[in-house]
Amino acid sequence: MQQKSKLFLQALKYSIPHLGKCMQKQHLNHCNFADHYYNRIKLKKYQLIKCLQNKPRISELARNIPSRNFSCKNFLSSKQENEKPLSENMDAFEKVRAKLETQPQEEYEIINAEIKHGGFVYYQEGCCLVRSKDEEADNDNYEVLFNLEELKLEQPFIDCIRVAPDEKYVAAKIRTEDSESSTCIVVKLSDQPVMEASFPNVSSFEWVKDEEDEDVLFYTFQRNLRCHDVYRATFGDNKRNERFYTEKDPSFFVFLYLTKDSRFLTMNIMSKTTSEVWLIDGLSPWDPPVLIQKRIHGVLYYVEHRDDELYILTNVGEPTEFKLMRTAADTPAIMNWDLFFTMKRNTKVVDLDMFKDHCVLFLKHSNLLYVNVIGLADDSVRSLKLPPWACGFIIDTNSDPKNCPFQLCSPIRPPKYYTYKFAEGKLFEETGHEDPITKTSRVLRMEAKSEDGKLVPMTVFHKTDSEDLQKKPLLVQVYGAYGMDLKMNFRPERRVLVDDGWILAYCHVRGGGELGLQWHADGRLTKKLNGLADLEACIKTLHDQGFSQPSLTALTAFSAGGVLVGALCNSSPELLRAVTLEAPFLDVLNTMMDTTLPLTLEELEEWGNPSSDEKHKNYIKRYCPYQNIKPQHYPSIHITAYENDERVPLKGIVNYTEKLKEAIAEHAKDTGEGYQVPNIILDIQPGGNHVIEDSHKKITAQIKFLYEELGLDSTSVFDNLKKYLKF
């Protein structure tokens, strides 16, 4: 059986190319593609941390959590369980732990494009797709399957790998950093591997085997950021390639996901608020697919399979938050769904993983992380509260029925390994080198009261030995759209800022997904101003509680987060000294009225339809950054934009910048001599990607801008950056 990568929510969340105007490399919410593959630790002798990024592109889902909580005392050191030396029988987690014990965290790199299958590991090495025997994966003893240079792309990388069930073929999706377009290659595995076929603009893809043991590749075709067509292809002597399905509603997109047991291929047809799933039999893929439940407006559901039962994560029923239901696979319609597990209010379901005898839910409840382990034999529930420093999960691919491995991370701390062992009923923590940031920094969970009384969570980081925090620089980060969480993955430049005395504040405002589906609903359409009020309340609360001051406060966001940042610059510019934006969405009204743009129709459920609804049009006018520019004082603003960005067109950013400069010039003229004009910088980068998260040029330009605007000495910060970034 093919070893599955990532979990079904993670796969959906990070592999769908169009759900928002959006996030750092994320998919459902306009961002990047997810790493649906097994992640390998590769030891390095140079100072570089390349953390696994959640390349987001789908609005993150919200859910809830069970009632039993256990404290961090439930964590056991792996050494307590096994003091024996490394052996052939040690599981993968123990092998990783043992290697990391002897290595400082600054000396390893996490490789994200990789999958294990049938005793081999498939991954990228240099410019090649390679494979090696599992036990030799770290010995540079590998077989080259395909040289990516044959595609004549600039700096190509493998984004996703899938191996056919009988290992006759391997398929890999290949992209470049400066473009969202991709090519899927199919390599025939033999003594002399050869590329059998290539398909352009592939989004998701999966293998199944038919009744005659023939490998069948199903894939979705992406055109103009829209993913509506599903194809299936065979190779060898019986070569064919045919369109299997076309979605005709332009507000929906299609994504493929193979259940973890490979029993069914699910065809997920989704909009921002509604979904419909079809089952393709993994044993008879040429049979007509079976509809689970016809789409119902406002009902979302996602499907996994185990022992002839479907496990369905859905928001159907009250409250309209996610809950887990199940039904027999041969009676999949909604009237047969039985409630299996409910979750608390203010909970987001980050992911779900299915095992032979257990279901594991990865949850965020009231801005803290939990893992819930459900015993499927006796319906028992074990809820583990994770360390308070942890802000995000990295879910590892895993086919071992005995263990559930995952990583925890934060913006200032590299990922750390944990594994839940079902037999022991305990969570084990990676031992060995402890990152010094745990002792030199603090993480605070705070709340701000918005203007309507709603409590808005914040996550704040600062050095433990900082004195007089009111005189320290503050960097605030916000997003607040598509039901997506703020990205809380490790970023070396954030770590360096904290080491240099900065305070970091992540504001989890309405419109995001941190507290569940309702948190998103309360910040979209004609409630978008709630997110703006939340952001203003967060910054004022930080200042009132002694965290920095306006003259030392900077605000940063990317993509759709630019809406709230741009709106705050118009309404309360006195709270800020500087702003950095990347690929920001700033002209909501004109963009949403232009139906020729590839994502406008998919975005209507988030922003509204100003072309046909006067109420929506007037509401957007109230907060749209471009529409509300006026002659007044503004903070200095640094904008990074991408020349061929299809998600946030460059034209809107240029128009915003020009109008803003005109308003500032008019205000300066009226103010008279002595007025310090804010700097407005538009940095247009080549390429067609939406956000290039790891661009060293971008990172250094933004940090240089912040230090200059806040009047800070940047000497030490750039020296420290060199420890993490490869210049």
Side-chain angles (χ1 to χ4, degrees):
M1 181 183 296
Q2 179 176 350
Q3 298 211 20
K4 282 303 298 166
S5 60
K6 277 271 184 196
L7 308 172
F8 80 110
L9 283 182
Q10 225 41 353
L12 288 172
K13 175 171 19 172
Y14 297 130
S15 288
I16 301 171
H18 7 36
L19 268 190
K21 227 124 218 150
C22 153
M23 273 192 64
Q24 334 91 320
K25 299 187 166 183
Q26 287 195 153
H27 242 135
L28 269 196
N29 247 3
H30 294 204
C31 312
N32 274 332
F33 310 81
D35 312 322
H36 328 289
Y37 11 71
Y38 181 89
N39 303 295
R40 177 169 59 99
I41 297 278
K42 185 173 183 180
L43 302 178
K44 294 290 184 182
K45 288 300 181 183
Y46 50 79
Q47 299 287 314
L48 169 66
I49 298 180
K50 182 183 179 183
C51 291
L52 173 65
Q53 308 294 332
N54 288 345
K55 299 179 177 181
R57 287 172 180 197
I58 176 176
S59 301
E60 294 192 351
L61 306 174
R63 318 127 217 209
N64 302 222
I65 133 178
S67 52
R68 263 177 65 198
N69 291 330
F70 293 81
S71 72
C72 296
K73 293 179 181 179
N74 293 102
F75 295 129
L76 295 182
S77 165
S78 296
K79 285 186 174 179
Q80 293 178 13
E81 191 225 15
N82 189 0
E83 294 284 354
K84 298 178 181 179
L86 199 64
S87 70
E88 293 285 330
N89 297 323
M90 289 178 68
D91 60 37
F93 173 80
E94 292 293 332
K95 290 180 180 180
V96 168
R97 178 196 61 74
K99 287 180 180 179
L100 291 181
E101 280 186 341
T102 60
Q103 294 288 335
Q105 283 184 304
E106 291 82 0
E107 294 183 359
Y108 69 81
E109 170 183 32
I110 297 181
I111 309 299
N112 19 358
E114 182 172 293
I115 192 168
K116 296 175 70 174
H117 181 99
F120 285 92
V121 181
Y122 295 77
Y123 56 97
Q124 180 175 345
E125 184 70 37
C127 289
C128 296
L129 169 64
V130 305
R131 71 172 176 179
S132 62
K133 292 184 178 180
D134 193 4
E135 64 272 14
E136 299 176 354
D138 293 313
N139 297 333
D140 291 332
N141 185 13
Y142 52 79
E143 174 190 7
V144 174
L145 304 177
F146 180 75
N147 189 334
L148 306 187
E149 293 179 346
E150 293 183 26
L151 299 176
K152 301 188 184 307
L153 300 173
E154 185 174 350
Q155 295 184 326
F157 68 91
I158 297 175
D159 184 65
C160 189
I161 301 171
R162 293 288 185 267
V163 183
D166 59 2
E167 219 159 354
K168 292 179 181 177
Y169 300 96
V170 59
K173 184 168 70 173
I174 299 166
R175 298 180 52 236
T176 63
E177 280 289 352
D178 63 353
S179 174
E180 292 195 42
S181 62
S182 62
T183 298
C184 180
I185 62 166
V186 177
V187 175
K188 183 177 182 181
L189 299 175
S190 60
D191 292 338
Q192 297 293 326
V194 61
M195 186 173 74
E196 184 84 4
S198 66
F199 306 107
N201 301 317
V202 170
S203 177
S204 57
F205 58 105
E206 297 286 358
W207 291 99
V208 294
K209 181 185 286 191
D210 67 13
E211 304 92 322
E212 299 178 358
D213 288 337
E214 185 173 39
D215 295 313
V216 185
L217 180 69
F218 284 78
Y219 65 93
T220 55
F221 178 76
Q222 180 177 326
R223 181 187 294 110
N224 296 327
L225 299 181
R226 297 174 179 174
C227 206
H228 293 159
D229 296 320
V230 181
Y231 287 78
R232 58 187 174 191
T234 56
F235 309 95
D237 296 334
N238 188 25
K239 185 176 294 186
R240 72 182 105 173
N241 185 30
E242 61 187 24
R243 187 164 58 180
F244 173 70
Y245 174 85
T246 296
E247 174 56 39
K248 297 182 179 179
D249 188 330
S251 65
F252 283 74
F253 59 89
V254 187
F255 178 76
L256 301 174
Y257 170 74
L258 189 64
T259 59
K260 190 173 182 182
D261 62 4
S262 300
R263 182 64 184 82
F264 291 104
L265 176 63
T266 65
M267 187 168 67
N268 302 270
I269 304 166
M270 308 174 63
S271 73
K272 296 288 194 308
T273 62
T274 305
S275 61
E276 175 180 289
V277 181
W278 293 74
L279 294 180
I280 298 169
D281 193 326
L283 302 177
S284 303
W286 302 105
D287 291 349
V290 175
L291 174 64
I292 292 182
Q293 173 57 48
K294 185 178 180 180
R295 64 192 74 170
I296 302 172
H297 181 71
V299 173
L300 291 164
Y301 70 98
Y302 309 92
V303 178
E304 254 294 358
H305 176 266
R306 170 192 171 271
D307 287 352
D308 296 326
E309 287 188 316
L310 300 177
Y311 287 79
I312 302 168
L313 193 64
T314 179
N315 67 335
V316 69
E318 295 293 335
T320 55
E321 297 288 349
F322 279 101
K323 51 197 71 77
L324 191 60
M325 309 184 87
R326 64 181 172 186
T327 184
D330 56 0
T331 56
I334 194 169
M335 71 281 295
N336 300 311
W337 296 1
D338 292 326
L339 183 62
F340 177 60
F341 187 76
T342 59
M343 295 167 242
K344 289 181 179 178
R345 291 180 61 251
N346 296 334
T347 302
K348 177 187 182 70
V349 181
V350 177
D351 214 334
L352 176 153
D353 200 0
M354 189 68 67
F355 295 83
K356 181 177 182 295
D357 299 314
H358 298 86
C359 174
V360 179
L361 291 168
F362 299 87
L363 307 167
K364 181 181 290 185
H365 174 62
S366 296
N367 207 24
L368 292 170
L369 301 186
Y370 293 78
V371 168
N372 279 10
V373 181
I374 306 173
L376 300 178
D378 56 6
D379 292 349
S380 62
V381 178
R382 182 86 185 275
S383 181
L384 296 172
K385 184 178 180 180
L386 300 175
W389 65 263
C391 301
F393 292 102
I394 299 173
I395 315 299
D396 287 357
T397 301
N398 179 48
S399 60
D400 182 355
K402 299 178 181 179
N403 300 317
C404 178
F406 59 91
Q407 299 173 68
L408 298 177
C409 63
S410 86
I412 64 171
R413 177 170 175 164
K416 185 171 185 178
Y417 270 88
Y418 292 79
T419 193
Y420 186 86
K421 300 198 172 187
F422 298 117
E424 292 89 338
K426 296 172 183 176
L427 186 64
F428 293 85
E429 177 183 6
E430 166 207 326
T431 61
H433 175 76
E434 186 66 28
D435 195 295
I437 197 72
T438 58
K439 295 182 179 179
T440 61
S441 69
R442 293 183 64 194
V443 56
L444 305 174
R445 298 305 202 283
M446 300 173 59
E447 290 181 324
K449 182 177 286 188
S450 195
E451 63 181 12
D452 61 356
K454 187 70 71 173
L455 295 178
V456 183
M458 297 182 286
T459 308
V460 180
F461 304 89
H462 68 83
K463 289 182 71 173
T464 54
D465 60 358
S466 290
E467 297 179 359
D468 199 358
L469 289 172
Q470 193 170 20
K471 296 182 180 179
K472 298 297 182 181
L474 167 66
L475 181 62
V476 179
Q477 185 159 321
V478 71
Y479 188 69
Y482 306 114
M484 292 190 68
D485 294 3
L486 264 174
K487 282 197 74 175
M488 302 290 281
N489 57 296
F490 174 66
R491 299 299 307 159
E493 65 272 22
R494 299 292 186 251
R495 164 74 165 264
V496 168
L497 290 179
V498 169
D499 286 341
D500 205 41
W502 283 69
I503 305 164
L504 302 184
Y506 290 75
C507 302
H508 310 292
V509 304
R510 281 174 284 186
E514 286 88 346
L515 298 185
L517 291 179
Q518 191 59 48
W519 196 248
H520 172 218
D522 287 343
R524 68 182 183 95
L525 295 176
T526 54
K527 296 183 179 180
K528 184 60 71 174
L529 283 168
N530 284 340
L532 176 60
D534 294 351
L535 176 59
E536 182 174 344
C538 287
I539 296 175
K540 287 181 176 179
T541 297
L542 289 166
H543 291 163
D544 291 345
Q545 295 193 17
F547 293 93
S548 197
Q549 54 189 287
S551 63
L552 290 172
T553 297
L555 180 57
T556 185
F558 64 89
S559 195
V563 173
L564 296 183
V565 173
L568 186 72
C569 289
N570 289 328
S571 64
S572 302
E574 71 280 359
L575 294 176
L576 306 168
R577 179 66 184 87
V579 168
T580 65
L581 296 169
E582 184 174 7
F585 187 29
L586 296 165
D587 190 358
V588 182
L589 183 62
N590 289 324
T591 299
M592 294 310 298
M593 293 186 72
D594 186 354
T595 57
T596 65
L597 295 175
L599 297 176
T600 296
L601 295 177
E602 290 185 12
E603 301 291 308
L604 296 179
E605 293 176 313
E606 180 70 24
W607 308 100
N609 189 347
S611 296
S612 62
D613 191 317
E614 197 68 21
K615 179 182 177 181
H616 286 170
K617 183 177 182 179
N618 291 333
Y619 191 85
I620 291 173
K621 284 182 178 179
R622 293 171 60 188
Y623 68 80
C624 175
Y626 177 78
Q627 298 293 326
N628 289 280
I629 294 173
K630 53 184 176 287
Q632 64 172 13
H633 177 72
Y634 279 88
S636 293
I637 301 176
H638 183 284
I639 301 174
T640 304
Y642 298 96
E643 191 174 17
N644 299 313
D645 189 339
E646 294 181 87
R647 298 180 184 278
V648 179
L650 181 60
K651 179 182 177 182
I653 298 175
V654 171
N655 291 342
Y656 170 87
T657 305
E658 291 176 350
K659 186 176 180 180
L660 181 61
K661 287 182 176 179
E662 291 173 0
I664 290 172
E666 184 177 346
H667 176 67
K669 182 179 179 181
D670 295 340
T671 304
E673 294 184 7
Y675 174 68
Q676 184 177 354
V677 178
N679 290 314
I680 307 299
I681 300 172
L682 175 57
D683 180 12
I684 301 175
Q685 297 288 323
N689 212 336
H690 179 52
V691 173
I692 303 178
E693 190 172 67
D694 295 318
S695 167
H696 299 164
K697 180 180 178 181
K698 176 202 71 178
I699 290 171
T700 53
Q702 291 176 346
I703 290 180
K704 181 175 182 291
F705 171 81
L706 290 176
Y707 272 76
E708 289 178 350
E709 291 301 323
L710 272 60
L712 305 174
D713 181 4
S714 63
T715 304
S716 62
V717 74
F718 286 112
D719 288 341
N720 289 334
L721 262 181
K722 292 176 183 178
K723 297 177 183 178
Y724 298 97
L725 302 180
K726 201 176 181 184
F727 287 97

